[in-house]
Amino acid sequence: MTSLPPLSQRFPLTRQLGIGIGLRVPHYDHILENRPSTDWFEIIAENFMGEGGRALQVLEAIMEQYQVVVHGVGLYPGNAQGLNWEHLRRLKTLVKRTRTPWFTDHLCWGSVDGHHTHDLLPVPYTRESVLRMTENLRIAQDFLEIPVAVENISSYAEFKDNEMTEWEFLNEVAHSADVGVLLDVNNIYVSSVNHGFDPACYIEAVDAERVAQMHIAGHSRYERFVIDTHDHPVIDPVWALYARAVERCGPVATLLEWDARIPSFEEVWAEAQKARRYWKQLSASHAA
Amino acid sequence: MPTLLETQRRFSNALGERLVGEDRLLGGLARGRSEVSEHFAETARGLLRATPRLGADERLGLYQRQYWYRLLDSLAEDFPSLQTLLGRETLFTELEHYIAACPPGSWDLRLFGARLAAFVARSPRLPQDTRRLAAALARRDFAFMEVFDAPRLPEPIDADLEGAELRLQPCVRLLVLHAPVQAWLDDPNSGYAVRPRRRMRELHVVWRARDNRICATHEPLSLLPVLRELERGGTLGRLLGRCRNLPGARTLREAFMRWRAGGLLALAGEPSPRRAAP
């Protein structure tokens, strides 16, 4: 097993990286032509795991100027039947190609018996799930040879068999697998509405020492539930949660996700930069 | 308590259950309570907690609808010619059956339509006259997916074509289609297009060009042996020597000029594994 440095030293860039946005196809031309001054880009791993094509060409050009962080949607560490080695091998090729400082994916499962759901599905929060998730994340971190951080998902369902809260589950998995946490503040908000818990409790309970990165995003509110659509600006209650998360975890690398009905690059970047005001508030309070 | 594996199997099987209700193919989650089967509701009640805000079946139903809409929309987007031929309603009915019969088996959603051409070729819901053209169009549409992120090798731009070891680029697909695809592409309203003709064969080539545009062309069938040999690779002399029934010298020369200009040719020598279809 590869020996990783202590967690405190494993994500050294997280307080230097700043604010980033997701690299998305509608913005390719704008970025390549104008070289805007965004701090970093997050890429969805599975969109760049082919062997050629425009996506990889654009990625090479982007990497000449920007730090890129790889974010997966297909690792599925919660899969009871283990990881997909073909996927993992392609992922490692991408990790090496991008020299990403860390890799993030979700606290979820997504396939069984060869049936891929292409979704981020919740696991029951049980001891068995902790063990399975831990084993798979340890294998992934060892194989990829870079630090891994796991992201809390938004969910619409809670299992009858749950033995702990989601934040207890997240902390336990992160600790036992010895991985970082990608704290998605919008996902906490979405799940809190759908399941009726206090999102502030989640923020207070998460192991702040392990938070290596944060996500913010917009969502869609329906009459009786909220769907994590990433197609709107961030709402004030999510910014309020983010402010508290920054107080607890510090100004760690933060990324705005905007994946559907994507507006202009300037609009997305302007929305992302709003995160800075909470960093300034934190600096001001420390100075005071 | 069921094991994690048992839970995931029940969840996955529930997602794969076909949606019920008249509005099932319309997309969108905002409508009121969705219709679900009793079996589905029972699975949901067995797995999930209900709250006054949302029942267990509604919660599982949100995942089920997202699963189906994601796959339907993805396939419809990947098979535009098939949609033009069949119309949205017929296509979505066909896709519904396809998703139920051939659920996704890869993490790469672009490969999901790999078996759609064979599926529509046998579809009892489509008129017999339409099946062959539908299958051919589906095969052509899927080739666009296959070449999208396939590798490109160095080209013989400056090399002497007669001396170099040549091969087709890995991002080229040769399609022998058993339907009047070109006539349909020229005029999709043509009634002639769906009329079957025995032993009909057309050669279509789909590839990703240097600038990453996906291109498609209709080539004379007489060039198929040459293109097949180019897939295997070799010097021009050797690969032409392996062909029977070569077309005329002028046709050959023009074809090679066309293929070189279009970026279909590569210098052989570098292995280029193709991604296996699921």
Side-chain angles (χ1 to χ4, degrees):
Chain A
M1 181 180 284
T2 313
S3 79
L4 287 165
L7 192 90
S8 56
Q9 298 166 27
R10 223 177 286 167
F11 300 93
L13 272 182
T14 190
R15 293 190 181 230
Q16 300 162 29
L17 216 46
I19 310 291
I21 62 173
L23 181 64
R24 301 293 179 261
V25 175
H27 295 158
Y28 280 0
D29 289 339
H30 176 87
I31 297 166
L32 294 175
E33 284 165 21
N34 300 293
R35 303 282 168 179
S37 60
T38 178
D39 298 342
W40 58 286
F41 285 106
E42 184 184 80
I43 62 166
I44 300 294
E46 284 72 11
N47 292 341
F48 296 88
M49 280 159 63
E51 296 167 272
R54 184 171 186 228
L56 284 181
Q57 277 185 8
V58 170
L59 180 60
E60 295 290 340
I62 296 279
M63 282 166 43
E64 287 173 13
Q65 185 168 338
Y66 301 96
Q67 177 70 56
V68 165
V69 175
V70 178
H71 179 57
V73 294
L75 184 69
Y76 296 150
N79 276 1
Q81 292 170 316
L83 301 174
N84 178 327
W85 282 95
E86 168 61 15
H87 178 270
L88 208 49
R89 273 189 285 273
R90 284 178 179 267
L91 187 56
K92 187 164 185 176
T93 302
L94 181 66
V95 159
K96 289 193 166 178
R97 185 194 292 265
T98 57
R99 299 179 295 280
T100 180
W102 59 79
F103 169 71
T104 59
D105 207 310
H106 300 82
L107 193 72
C108 74
W109 72 282
S111 65
V112 65
D113 296 331
H115 174 205
H116 284 252
T117 65
H118 295 280
D119 203 348
L120 308 172
L121 303 174
V123 292
Y125 302 136
T126 61
R127 303 296 322 157
E128 187 197 358
S129 297
V130 169
L131 291 174
R132 175 44 76 179
M133 196 77 84
T134 297
E135 184 183 357
N136 287 337
L137 284 169
R138 279 187 174 273
I139 289 170
Q141 187 163 250
D142 194 36
F143 183 77
L144 295 175
E145 298 179 288
I146 53 164
V148 168
V150 66
E151 176 184 350
N152 57 296
I153 58 169
S154 56
S155 70
Y156 318 108
E158 277 188 313
F159 288 89
K160 282 179 145 179
D161 297 329
N162 281 359
E163 297 168 346
M164 58 191 97
T165 63
E166 183 182 318
W167 50 91
E168 288 166 344
F169 182 77
L170 174 65
N171 282 343
E172 191 141 349
V173 167
H175 176 76
S176 57
D178 194 19
V179 295
V181 168
L182 163 51
L183 192 66
D184 190 314
V185 179
N186 177 60
N187 286 352
I188 293 175
Y189 178 84
V190 168
S191 295
S192 77
V193 174
N194 291 334
H195 304 311
F197 64 76
D198 180 357
C201 289
Y202 200 131
I203 300 286
E204 296 304 325
V206 78
D207 182 353
E209 294 294 311
R210 288 196 176 270
V211 175
Q213 189 187 317
M214 290 193 212
H215 271 174
I216 45 177
H219 54 254
S220 296
R221 182 177 274 276
Y222 293 85
E223 198 179 322
R224 291 178 302 139
F225 51 85
V226 177
I227 300 281
D228 185 25
T229 45
H230 297 180
D231 61 351
H232 287 87
V234 182
I235 63 168
D236 287 343
V238 172
W239 281 125
L241 289 173
Y242 177 73
R244 179 59 190 143
V246 169
E247 279 175 11
R248 288 208 63 231
C249 310
V252 300
T254 295
L255 179 115
L256 172 73
E257 296 181 293
W258 204 317
D259 297 320
R261 292 192 285 184
I262 301 174
S264 69
F265 180 91
E266 287 87 354
E267 198 173 328
V268 174
W269 180 228
E271 184 68 14
Q273 291 210 82
K274 290 177 186 172
R276 276 192 217 285
R277 66 185 173 209
Y278 302 101
W279 293 15
K280 285 178 185 158
Q281 281 174 16
L282 183 71
S283 301
S285 68
H286 283 176
Chain B
M1 188 194 296
T3 64
L4 182 62
L5 180 57
E6 285 164 351
T7 298
Q8 292 182 351
R9 281 183 168 144
R10 287 169 70 190
F11 204 111
S12 164
N13 289 340
L15 297 194
E17 273 191 33
R18 286 172 61 184
L19 299 174
V20 294
E22 289 296 307
D23 61 351
R24 69 188 189 284
L25 301 182
L26 296 179
L29 298 164
R31 292 179 306 278
R33 198 180 181 92
S34 301
E35 204 177 322
V36 294
S37 72
E38 184 45 42
H39 176 260
F40 183 89
E42 195 181 316
T43 303
R45 285 193 298 271
L47 289 174
L48 304 178
R49 285 179 185 159
T51 64
R53 182 190 281 265
L54 279 177
D57 60 325
E58 291 177 286
R59 291 178 181 277
L60 191 56
L62 282 174
Y63 285 104
Q64 185 200 25
R65 285 190 171 256
Q66 291 195 101
Y67 170 81
W68 280 89
Y69 296 157
R70 181 179 295 113
L71 297 182
L72 286 167
D73 289 345
S74 169
L75 284 174
E77 189 181 325
D78 290 351
F79 290 86
S81 309
L82 195 58
Q83 179 155 202
T84 305
L85 175 71
L86 301 179
R88 187 179 187 276
E89 196 173 332
T90 305
L91 175 72
F92 271 57
T93 302
E94 221 35 57
L95 295 181
E96 235 190 328
H97 285 272
Y98 177 70
I99 293 166
C102 313
S106 166
W107 52 268
D108 189 346
L109 201 49
R110 273 199 293 270
L111 298 179
F112 181 37
R115 291 181 282 179
L116 187 59
F119 187 83
V120 295
R122 298 188 307 270
S123 171
R125 291 164 300 279
L126 296 177
Q128 201 158 9
D129 286 2
T130 308
R131 283 184 213 161
R132 192 181 291 187
L133 181 59
L137 290 176
R139 181 65 195 92
R140 184 175 176 275
D141 281 343
F142 185 68
F144 282 59
M145 294 293 106
E146 291 181 295
V147 304
F148 178 79
D149 58 4
R152 277 193 70 85
L153 299 177
E155 290 185 46
I157 305 255
D158 300 312
D160 176 3
L161 273 188
E162 288 184 22
E165 290 272 338
L166 300 175
R167 55 161 295 172
L168 277 185
Q169 288 284 357
C171 57
V172 177
R173 291 294 178 274
L174 306 181
L175 309 172
V176 178
L177 303 176
H178 299 268
V181 169
Q182 194 55 47
W184 184 87
L185 291 169
D186 292 341
D187 178 10
N189 295 317
S190 160
Y192 155 81
V194 292
R195 217 174 296 145
R197 282 176 28 203
R198 295 186 68 181
R199 295 185 183 176
M200 162 158 244
R201 292 199 311 161
E202 286 184 359
L203 172 60
H204 289 253
V205 182
V206 175
W207 76 100
R208 198 182 75 249
R210 291 177 204 104
D211 62 2
N212 290 313
R213 274 179 310 116
I214 311 290
C215 305
T217 184
H218 178 206
E219 292 279 1
L221 260 175
S222 60
L223 291 171
L224 180 61
V226 183
L227 285 164
R228 287 276 186 239
E229 289 303 330
L230 264 172
E231 274 192 319
R232 290 175 61 191
T235 60
L236 202 51
R238 253 189 298 138
L239 64 89
L240 291 180
R242 295 196 300 254
C243 292
R244 283 190 218 164
N245 303 324
L246 276 175
R250 184 174 169 185
T251 304
L252 261 182
R253 191 167 47 249
E254 286 174 358
F256 270 88
M257 285 171 67
R258 193 166 62 245
W259 296 336
R260 191 168 72 160
L264 278 77
L265 302 181
L267 287 170
E270 292 187 41
S272 59
R274 279 191 181 167
R275 189 182 304 184

PDB file of all heavy atoms in Angstrom, chain A residues 120-138:
ATOM      1  N   LEU A 120     -26.217   8.956  -8.857  1.00  0.00           N
ATOM      2  CA  LEU A 120     -25.474   8.932  -7.595  1.00  0.00           C
ATOM      3  C   LEU A 120     -26.469   8.521  -6.522  1.00  0.00           C
ATOM      4  O   LEU A 120     -27.224   9.350  -6.019  1.00  0.00           O
ATOM      5  CB  LEU A 120     -24.888  10.322  -7.301  1.00  0.00           C
ATOM      6  CG  LEU A 120     -24.070  10.960  -8.433  1.00  0.00           C
ATOM      7  CD1 LEU A 120     -23.719  12.414  -8.095  1.00  0.00           C
ATOM      8  CD2 LEU A 120     -22.800  10.170  -8.702  1.00  0.00           C
ATOM      9  N   LEU A 121     -26.496   7.246  -6.196  1.00  0.00           N
ATOM     10  CA  LEU A 121     -27.551   6.704  -5.336  1.00  0.00           C
ATOM     11  C   LEU A 121     -27.082   6.599  -3.884  1.00  0.00           C
ATOM     12  O   LEU A 121     -25.926   6.244  -3.625  1.00  0.00           O
ATOM     13  CB  LEU A 121     -27.973   5.327  -5.849  1.00  0.00           C
ATOM     14  CG  LEU A 121     -28.453   5.299  -7.307  1.00  0.00           C
ATOM     15  CD1 LEU A 121     -28.711   3.866  -7.772  1.00  0.00           C
ATOM     16  CD2 LEU A 121     -29.713   6.144  -7.470  1.00  0.00           C
ATOM     17  N   PRO A 122     -27.989   6.870  -2.947  1.00  0.00           N
ATOM     18  CA  PRO A 122     -27.585   6.808  -1.536  1.00  0.00           C
ATOM     19  C   PRO A 122     -27.439   5.361  -1.066  1.00  0.00           C
ATOM     20  O   PRO A 122     -28.133   4.475  -1.556  1.00  0.00           O
ATOM     21  CB  PRO A 122     -28.761   7.492  -0.823  1.00  0.00           C
ATOM     22  CG  PRO A 122     -29.930   7.246  -1.708  1.00  0.00           C
ATOM     23  CD  PRO A 122     -29.403   7.228  -3.117  1.00  0.00           C
ATOM     24  N   VAL A 123     -26.549   5.172  -0.109  1.00  0.00           N
ATOM     25  CA  VAL A 123     -26.434   3.850   0.535  1.00  0.00           C
ATOM     26  C   VAL A 123     -27.167   3.919   1.869  1.00  0.00           C
ATOM     27  O   VAL A 123     -27.364   5.002   2.420  1.00  0.00           O
ATOM     28  CB  VAL A 123     -24.954   3.458   0.792  1.00  0.00           C
ATOM     29  CG1 VAL A 123     -24.226   3.217  -0.513  1.00  0.00           C
ATOM     30  CG2 VAL A 123     -24.246   4.494   1.636  1.00  0.00           C
ATOM     31  N   PRO A 124     -27.565   2.769   2.409  1.00  0.00           N
ATOM     32  CA  PRO A 124     -28.070   2.787   3.788  1.00  0.00           C
ATOM     33  C   PRO A 124     -26.908   3.158   4.711  1.00  0.00           C
ATOM     34  O   PRO A 124     -25.779   2.703   4.498  1.00  0.00           O
ATOM     35  CB  PRO A 124     -28.509   1.330   4.020  1.00  0.00           C
ATOM     36  CG  PRO A 124     -28.425   0.635   2.718  1.00  0.00           C
ATOM     37  CD  PRO A 124     -27.543   1.424   1.821  1.00  0.00           C
ATOM     38  N   TYR A 125     -27.187   3.988   5.716  1.00  0.00           N
ATOM     39  CA  TYR A 125     -26.109   4.397   6.627  1.00  0.00           C
ATOM     40  C   TYR A 125     -25.979   3.352   7.724  1.00  0.00           C
ATOM     41  O   TYR A 125     -26.513   3.520   8.831  1.00  0.00           O
ATOM     42  CB  TYR A 125     -26.392   5.799   7.173  1.00  0.00           C
ATOM     43  CG  TYR A 125     -26.532   6.819   6.057  1.00  0.00           C
ATOM     44  CD1 TYR A 125     -27.547   7.774   6.062  1.00  0.00           C
ATOM     45  CD2 TYR A 125     -25.651   6.798   4.987  1.00  0.00           C
ATOM     46  CE1 TYR A 125     -27.677   8.679   5.031  1.00  0.00           C
ATOM     47  CE2 TYR A 125     -25.776   7.696   3.940  1.00  0.00           C
ATOM     48  CZ  TYR A 125     -26.795   8.632   3.970  1.00  0.00           C
ATOM     49  OH  TYR A 125     -26.917   9.516   2.938  1.00  0.00           O
ATOM     50  N   THR A 126     -25.285   2.267   7.375  1.00  0.00           N
ATOM     51  CA  THR A 126     -25.140   1.113   8.268  1.00  0.00           C
ATOM     52  C   THR A 126     -23.653   0.799   8.445  1.00  0.00           C
ATOM     53  O   THR A 126     -22.798   1.288   7.694  1.00  0.00           O
ATOM     54  CB  THR A 126     -25.825  -0.124   7.668  1.00  0.00           C
ATOM     55  OG1 THR A 126     -25.181  -0.424   6.406  1.00  0.00           O
ATOM     56  CG2 THR A 126     -27.302   0.115   7.426  1.00  0.00           C
ATOM     57  N   ARG A 127     -23.361  -0.066   9.405  1.00  0.00           N
ATOM     58  CA  ARG A 127     -21.974  -0.494   9.627  1.00  0.00           C
ATOM     59  C   ARG A 127     -21.444  -1.188   8.367  1.00  0.00           C
ATOM     60  O   ARG A 127     -20.289  -0.997   7.988  1.00  0.00           O
ATOM     61  CB  ARG A 127     -21.899  -1.481  10.800  1.00  0.00           C
ATOM     62  CG  ARG A 127     -22.435  -0.996  12.130  1.00  0.00           C
ATOM     63  CD  ARG A 127     -21.666   0.159  12.718  1.00  0.00           C
ATOM     64  NE  ARG A 127     -20.233   0.093  12.512  1.00  0.00           N
ATOM     65  CZ  ARG A 127     -19.436   1.169  12.532  1.00  0.00           C
ATOM     66  NH1 ARG A 127     -19.943   2.365  12.737  1.00  0.00           N
ATOM     67  NH2 ARG A 127     -18.139   1.038  12.345  1.00  0.00           N
ATOM     68  N   GLU A 128     -22.289  -2.020   7.753  1.00  0.00           N
ATOM     69  CA  GLU A 128     -21.829  -2.738   6.564  1.00  0.00           C
ATOM     70  C   GLU A 128     -21.438  -1.756   5.454  1.00  0.00           C
ATOM     71  O   GLU A 128     -20.431  -1.939   4.769  1.00  0.00           O
ATOM     72  CB  GLU A 128     -22.916  -3.700   6.049  1.00  0.00           C
ATOM     73  CG  GLU A 128     -22.402  -4.583   4.918  1.00  0.00           C
ATOM     74  CD  GLU A 128     -23.489  -5.261   4.108  1.00  0.00           C
ATOM     75  OE1 GLU A 128     -24.688  -5.098   4.423  1.00  0.00           O
ATOM     76  OE2 GLU A 128     -23.127  -5.959   3.136  1.00  0.00           O
ATOM     77  N   SER A 129     -22.245  -0.693   5.288  1.00  0.00           N
ATOM     78  CA  SER A 129     -21.923   0.295   4.245  1.00  0.00           C
ATOM     79  C   SER A 129     -20.617   1.022   4.562  1.00  0.00           C
ATOM     80  O   SER A 129     -19.829   1.328   3.654  1.00  0.00           O
ATOM     81  CB  SER A 129     -23.052   1.311   4.109  1.00  0.00           C
ATOM     82  OG  SER A 129     -24.234   0.685   3.693  1.00  0.00           O
ATOM     83  N   VAL A 130     -20.391   1.311   5.845  1.00  0.00           N
ATOM     84  CA  VAL A 130     -19.134   1.968   6.227  1.00  0.00           C
ATOM     85  C   VAL A 130     -17.952   1.089   5.817  1.00  0.00           C
ATOM     86  O   VAL A 130     -16.977   1.560   5.207  1.00  0.00           O
ATOM     87  CB  VAL A 130     -19.079   2.246   7.753  1.00  0.00           C
ATOM     88  CG1 VAL A 130     -17.678   2.684   8.172  1.00  0.00           C
ATOM     89  CG2 VAL A 130     -20.098   3.299   8.148  1.00  0.00           C
ATOM     90  N   LEU A 131     -18.068  -0.197   6.115  1.00  0.00           N
ATOM     91  CA  LEU A 131     -16.960  -1.111   5.805  1.00  0.00           C
ATOM     92  C   LEU A 131     -16.723  -1.206   4.302  1.00  0.00           C
ATOM     93  O   LEU A 131     -15.589  -1.159   3.826  1.00  0.00           O
ATOM     94  CB  LEU A 131     -17.262  -2.508   6.371  1.00  0.00           C
ATOM     95  CG  LEU A 131     -17.253  -2.614   7.893  1.00  0.00           C
ATOM     96  CD1 LEU A 131     -17.712  -4.000   8.335  1.00  0.00           C
ATOM     97  CD2 LEU A 131     -15.861  -2.314   8.447  1.00  0.00           C
ATOM     98  N   ARG A 132     -17.812  -1.336   3.542  1.00  0.00           N
ATOM     99  CA  ARG A 132     -17.675  -1.474   2.081  1.00  0.00           C
ATOM    100  C   ARG A 132     -17.097  -0.193   1.459  1.00  0.00           C
ATOM    101  O   ARG A 132     -16.186  -0.225   0.650  1.00  0.00           O
ATOM    102  CB  ARG A 132     -19.049  -1.816   1.479  1.00  0.00           C
ATOM    103  CG  ARG A 132     -19.075  -1.859  -0.024  1.00  0.00           C
ATOM    104  CD  ARG A 132     -17.913  -2.575  -0.639  1.00  0.00           C
ATOM    105  NE  ARG A 132     -17.992  -4.016  -0.543  1.00  0.00           N
ATOM    106  CZ  ARG A 132     -17.073  -4.847  -1.039  1.00  0.00           C
ATOM    107  NH1 ARG A 132     -15.997  -4.363  -1.643  1.00  0.00           N
ATOM    108  NH2 ARG A 132     -17.205  -6.152  -0.935  1.00  0.00           N
ATOM    109  N   MET A 133     -17.654   0.933   1.891  1.00  0.00           N
ATOM    110  CA  MET A 133     -17.195   2.231   1.371  1.00  0.00           C
ATOM    111  C   MET A 133     -15.717   2.445   1.723  1.00  0.00           C
ATOM    112  O   MET A 133     -14.927   2.918   0.904  1.00  0.00           O
ATOM    113  CB  MET A 133     -18.081   3.320   1.998  1.00  0.00           C
ATOM    114  CG  MET A 133     -18.042   4.663   1.357  1.00  0.00           C
ATOM    115  SD  MET A 133     -18.988   4.809  -0.171  1.00  0.00           S
ATOM    116  CE  MET A 133     -20.622   5.132   0.405  1.00  0.00           C
ATOM    117  N   THR A 134     -15.364   2.089   2.942  1.00  0.00           N
ATOM    118  CA  THR A 134     -13.982   2.254   3.393  1.00  0.00           C
ATOM    119  C   THR A 134     -13.031   1.425   2.533  1.00  0.00           C
ATOM    120  O   THR A 134     -12.004   1.932   2.052  1.00  0.00           O
ATOM    121  CB  THR A 134     -13.868   1.801   4.866  1.00  0.00           C
ATOM    122  OG1 THR A 134     -14.678   2.662   5.660  1.00  0.00           O
ATOM    123  CG2 THR A 134     -12.430   1.850   5.351  1.00  0.00           C
ATOM    124  N   GLU A 135     -13.400   0.180   2.341  1.00  0.00           N
ATOM    125  CA  GLU A 135     -12.530  -0.712   1.563  1.00  0.00           C
ATOM    126  C   GLU A 135     -12.350  -0.168   0.142  1.00  0.00           C
ATOM    127  O   GLU A 135     -11.225  -0.091  -0.374  1.00  0.00           O
ATOM    128  CB  GLU A 135     -13.158  -2.109   1.522  1.00  0.00           C
ATOM    129  CG  GLU A 135     -12.296  -3.134   0.833  1.00  0.00           C
ATOM    130  CD  GLU A 135     -12.979  -4.495   0.756  1.00  0.00           C
ATOM    131  OE1 GLU A 135     -14.100  -4.641   1.291  1.00  0.00           O
ATOM    132  OE2 GLU A 135     -12.396  -5.401   0.154  1.00  0.00           O
ATOM    133  N   ASN A 136     -13.429   0.224  -0.487  1.00  0.00           N
ATOM    134  CA  ASN A 136     -13.339   0.710  -1.870  1.00  0.00           C
ATOM    135  C   ASN A 136     -12.560   2.021  -1.971  1.00  0.00           C
ATOM    136  O   ASN A 136     -11.780   2.219  -2.910  1.00  0.00           O
ATOM    137  CB  ASN A 136     -14.745   0.892  -2.457  1.00  0.00           C
ATOM    138  CG  ASN A 136     -15.415  -0.436  -2.773  1.00  0.00           C
ATOM    139  OD1 ASN A 136     -14.748  -1.447  -2.962  1.00  0.00           O
ATOM    140  ND2 ASN A 136     -16.731  -0.436  -2.818  1.00  0.00           N
ATOM    141  N   LEU A 137     -12.766   2.927  -1.025  1.00  0.00           N
ATOM    142  CA  LEU A 137     -12.037   4.194  -1.074  1.00  0.00           C
ATOM    143  C   LEU A 137     -10.542   3.983  -0.809  1.00  0.00           C
ATOM    144  O   LEU A 137      -9.691   4.650  -1.416  1.00  0.00           O
ATOM    145  CB  LEU A 137     -12.619   5.188  -0.055  1.00  0.00           C
ATOM    146  CG  LEU A 137     -13.949   5.818  -0.466  1.00  0.00           C
ATOM    147  CD1 LEU A 137     -14.574   6.576   0.701  1.00  0.00           C
ATOM    148  CD2 LEU A 137     -13.777   6.763  -1.662  1.00  0.00           C
ATOM    149  N   ARG A 138     -10.233   3.064   0.063  1.00  0.00           N
ATOM    150  CA  ARG A 138      -8.819   2.773   0.316  1.00  0.00           C
ATOM    151  C   ARG A 138      -8.154   2.197  -0.934  1.00  0.00           C
ATOM    152  O   ARG A 138      -7.032   2.554  -1.279  1.00  0.00           O
ATOM    153  CB  ARG A 138      -8.673   1.804   1.489  1.00  0.00           C
ATOM    154  CG  ARG A 138      -8.780   2.492   2.853  1.00  0.00           C
ATOM    155  CD  ARG A 138      -8.460   1.528   3.987  1.00  0.00           C
ATOM    156  NE  ARG A 138      -8.435   2.203   5.258  1.00  0.00           N
ATOM    157  CZ  ARG A 138      -7.358   2.818   5.771  1.00  0.00           C
ATOM    158  NH1 ARG A 138      -6.233   2.839   5.086  1.00  0.00           N
ATOM    159  NH2 ARG A 138      -7.412   3.421   6.933  1.00  0.00           N
TER     160      ARG A 138
END
